[in-house]
Amino acid sequence: MSWQSVKLFLKAQVSAFSGGLTDYGLMILLTELLHIHFTISIIISGSIGGMVNFCINRFWAFKSTDGYHGTANMQLIRFFMVVLGSISLKSAGTYLLHNSFNLDYKIGRLLIDSVVSYGFNYPLMKYWVFKTNIIAFEYVEEQTQA
């Protein structure tokens, strides 16, 4: 594993943490203060947290001077699809943990988030949403190794 791969992973985690903090905080605010059911709160907060995450990912974490494989509009469409999948997994998983094991929704959400973040979101962000131009990326990698 190269330093570039580790650096990209760490930047993506900072971005995910920022979006996740927004998402989680809003979920608690909507559920505890406004008394919205937590599954609906997850949908609302996940959408807003997703917007924060997209901006940080595009302009910092996955920023590529070599160019992206897709346009910004294509990235946004793909990102939206990933966020919909992510929100669905988080909402359903939190609901199942709460109903099956009587686990507090806040704890269940954190558990589900960790699985969804590493097993679903990161691979799709790296290899599908913010995919770089492969030829240019391989050329840069060859130049840095020389």
Side-chain angles (χ1 to χ4, degrees):
M1 182 177 279
S2 71
W3 169 244
Q4 291 291 74
S5 296
V6 171
K7 187 176 166 185
L8 177 63
F9 178 78
L10 293 174
K11 287 172 101 175
Q13 295 317 301
V14 168
S15 176
F17 181 76
S18 300
L21 192 59
T22 303
D23 179 1
Y24 191 75
L26 278 174
M27 177 198 68
I28 291 173
L29 176 79
L30 293 169
T31 303
E32 299 295 327
L33 295 180
L34 300 179
H35 305 289
I36 297 172
H37 192 270
F38 67 85
T39 54
I40 304 301
S41 295
I42 291 171
I43 293 168
I44 296 167
S45 65
S47 299
I48 295 170
M51 287 184 247
V52 169
N53 192 318
F54 178 80
C55 291
I56 296 171
N57 276 336
R58 175 148 173 80
F59 298 108
W60 181 67
F62 291 101
K63 184 178 181 182
S64 173
T65 57
D66 303 316
Y68 290 114
H69 186 69
T71 64
N73 288 339
M74 182 56 71
Q75 286 176 339
L76 189 57
I77 291 167
R78 288 179 176 181
F79 185 85
F80 180 73
M81 292 169 66
V82 173
V83 167
L84 282 179
S86 178
I87 289 171
S88 299
L89 290 170
K90 291 174 185 180
S91 186
T94 303
Y95 179 81
L96 287 173
L97 287 178
H98 178 73
N99 280 355
S100 300
F101 301 106
N102 201 27
L103 191 62
D104 183 272
Y105 78 94
K106 293 177 271 227
I107 295 169
R109 171 68 192 275
L110 291 174
L111 293 172
I112 293 298
D113 270 8
S114 62
V115 172
V116 172
S117 179
Y118 297 115
F120 182 80
N121 293 350
Y122 179 71
L124 287 173
M125 294 298 171
K126 181 177 179 184
Y127 297 111
W128 190 52
V129 176
F130 297 107
K131 182 178 176 181
T132 58
N133 288 325
I134 295 171
I135 296 170
F137 183 72
E138 288 174 353
Y139 175 75
V140 169
E141 251 189 23
E142 286 175 11
Q143 296 301 314
T144 58
Q145 292 175 357

